[in-house]
Amino acid sequence: MGDSTPADQFFDAAIGLLHRVRDEEAGAIAAAAELLADTVTAGGRLFAFGAGHSSLPAQDVVYRAGGLALMNLLAAPGVVGVDVMPATLGSALERVDGFASAVLDSSPLRAGDTLVIISLSGRNALPVEMAVHARALGVRVIGVTSVAYATGTASRHVSGTFLKDHCDIVLDSKIAVGDAELTLDTVPAPFAPASTVVTAALLQAVMAETAATLAARGVEPPLLRSGNVDGGLDWNSHVFERYGDRIFYRQ
């Protein structure tokens, strides 16, 4: 066997992080699932938000075969994804004071809902302000972030705080500051980010736990089926009809 390749090393790093998250965040994952299940049974709505690449795990749990039908994407123009041009504008918007409050105040969120906020660093004005304002509205907040940034960087919010400081539940992705798992003498900068694969897996673990938690309570979890399998579209149309008042991605 020769030396491991960078691809091997990346897989090893990602697998190691997944093991850490599974073992160290089990309690937080269970608590997040309980909160989401509580929200569903109480008639509340579920939303997920992330800016830039942190929007990818948020989008991964919305309108997803095998996923909870009630998870909605919170829209924030210019920051959801990297499709805004220029892409640097999205990064700049994350540092604008007042933007998060404007987004929330024009959104369907209301007291009794739960909002999942994903931000790797948790240091920018947008995720911090969003968490603060959401809780002021009576919304419960689950933060998905790397807690390491709170000691390895400085906050960019006027309060000096991070996303993790304003959440009902915090899920720590364990990603190191800089989000690059590999280094080579021949490469001038650290490379190979793992935050997306780890955060997406962390959220899917929460979704799985939520579905099982609902079922254990005698509540049928509102799950979607693939539209590419026989009967899937009919199944989903019934789910949409039953829960239409809590699903916003079809409007």
Side-chain angles (χ1 to χ4, degrees):
M1 296 291 289
D3 293 338
S4 64
T5 66
D8 293 332
Q9 293 166 20
F10 177 77
F11 280 121
D12 288 341
I15 291 167
L17 284 162
L18 290 171
H19 278 299
R20 280 193 64 197
V21 169
R22 180 193 65 186
D23 296 341
E24 298 173 19
E25 296 301 296
I29 289 169
E34 288 283 344
L35 175 52
L36 293 178
D38 288 346
T39 306
V40 170
T41 55
R45 294 90 58 81
L46 309 179
F47 295 84
F49 172 81
H53 287 98
S54 288
S55 73
L56 299 177
Q59 295 179 59
D60 193 52
V61 295
V62 175
Y63 185 46
R64 188 66 192 262
L68 289 176
L70 303 191
M71 185 61 71
N72 299 278
L73 190 68
L74 176 61
V79 298
V80 179
V82 291
D83 57 339
V84 61
M85 292 297 173
T88 50
L89 174 60
S91 299
L93 287 173
E94 291 184 59
R95 299 190 288 271
V96 173
D97 291 330
F99 183 52
S101 295
V103 167
L104 283 175
D105 288 343
S106 59
S107 78
L109 270 114
R110 66 188 186 196
D113 293 346
T114 294
L115 172 62
V116 179
I117 302 176
I118 305 157
S119 173
L120 178 62
S121 73
R123 70 187 296 220
N124 288 312
L126 180 55
V128 175
E129 181 184 320
M130 183 167 285
V132 170
H133 195 62
R135 293 177 94 187
L137 294 174
V139 173
R140 304 292 293 276
V141 174
I142 298 172
V144 188
T145 187
S146 171
V147 173
Y149 276 83
T151 53
T153 67
S155 171
R156 288 177 173 148
H157 188 253
V158 64
S159 67
T161 61
F162 288 75
L163 169 61
K164 73 172 186 64
D165 300 316
H166 305 284
C167 300
D168 296 281
I169 298 165
V170 175
L171 298 168
D172 184 3
S173 64
K174 316 293 181 180
I175 299 295
V177 174
D179 192 18
E181 293 300 320
L182 303 184
T183 57
L184 276 178
D185 292 342
T186 54
V187 178
F191 60 105
S195 61
T196 302
V197 66
V198 174
T199 304
L202 178 52
L203 275 178
Q204 290 294 357
V206 172
M207 296 299 113
E209 196 81 15
T210 302
T213 299
L214 286 166
R217 297 181 181 183
V219 177
E220 181 181 327
L223 296 170
L224 294 174
R225 291 180 180 266
S226 172
N228 297 313
V229 300
D230 291 343
L233 293 176
D234 287 339
W235 171 282
N236 291 344
S237 68
H238 291 304
V239 173
F240 292 149
E241 183 176 351
R242 180 176 178 182
Y243 294 99
D245 60 332
R246 292 195 263 173
I247 294 173
F248 297 91
Y249 49 80
R250 298 182 70 240
Q251 299 177 2

